[in-house]
Amino acid sequence: NKTAAACAKIGLVYVYDPSLDIPGGDHDLIFGTDAFKKIGIMKFSWIERFLAKGLTFVFTDLDVFLAKNPLNCTSPSGDINAHTCIGFDASFGIEIQPEAYPPHRYMAKGSELNVGFMLLRPINATKHLIAAVLGELRETAKLDQKVLSELVWKKQ
């Protein structure tokens, strides 16, 4: 409730489901618990809903701080196709970074991908991938990030 109120106060778009409040606090967020699994399923359920509505959006976890609007193309050169700009005519479905810390900052095949910060476009490949992630999350106790990573690299 406190996080939702803080987001509303500053006009930050958020998704909040009071049925997922964790009565036991952080203790109930231990990997593999029902509460932990519900959060991953809820996260990807909302992503699926946004994609179904045809939205292009940036999904972030609460611990991500955005210094600027990633959808606002303001590259130093002014070129909307510059690598620092997302551009609305790009041909990719998901922009995502590896879950890596220095000195391993570069993505290698098989790297775990960070689902806490990604841009998604409503193309069929993205929709199919998210549906597959949800299907596996509902059947296993795996971490959502691990499921997405495994499915992405499997399709390569």
Side-chain angles (χ1 to χ4, degrees):
N1 283 331
K2 290 178 185 177
T3 301
C7 289
K9 184 176 179 178
I10 61 172
L12 184 65
V13 177
Y14 64 94
V15 175
Y16 173 66
D17 183 344
S19 72
L20 292 174
D21 279 351
I22 314 285
D26 291 343
H27 177 42
D28 282 347
L29 289 177
I30 296 169
F31 177 73
T33 63
D34 287 342
F36 186 89
K37 187 175 177 181
K38 281 175 67 175
I39 290 170
I41 291 170
M42 185 203 79
K43 182 177 9 178
F44 276 88
S45 294
W46 278 104
I47 289 170
E48 184 177 56
R49 288 178 196 156
F50 292 153
L51 291 171
K53 291 194 176 290
L55 298 173
T56 293
F57 60 97
V58 174
F59 175 85
T60 68
D61 283 342
L62 287 173
D63 61 350
V64 173
F65 172 77
L66 297 176
K68 69 175 194 165
N69 180 351
L71 296 175
N72 182 11
C73 185
T74 55
S75 73
S77 68
D79 177 5
I80 63 166
N81 295 311
H83 75 279
T84 57
C85 288
I86 292 168
F88 284 95
D89 60 346
S91 60
F92 58 85
I94 299 176
E95 177 77 19
I96 194 166
Q97 66 185 26
E99 179 68 23
Y101 302 96
H104 308 288
R105 285 179 237 150
Y106 303 101
M107 189 175 306
K109 187 169 183 170
S111 300
E112 193 161 298
L113 305 172
N114 183 350
V115 299
F117 183 60
M118 55 186 170
L119 176 125
L120 300 108
R121 293 179 186 283
I123 65 172
N124 286 335
T126 306
K127 292 175 184 178
H128 291 302
L129 175 63
I130 299 305
V133 169
L134 266 171
E136 191 160 337
L137 287 175
R138 289 182 176 123
E139 306 237 345
T140 68
K142 288 183 181 176
L143 178 65
D144 54 359
Q145 183 162 291
K146 187 159 221 44
V147 170
L148 178 87
S149 300
E150 288 173 355
L151 289 172
V152 164
W153 293 118
K154 183 177 175 182
K155 293 191 177 280
Q156 294 295 311

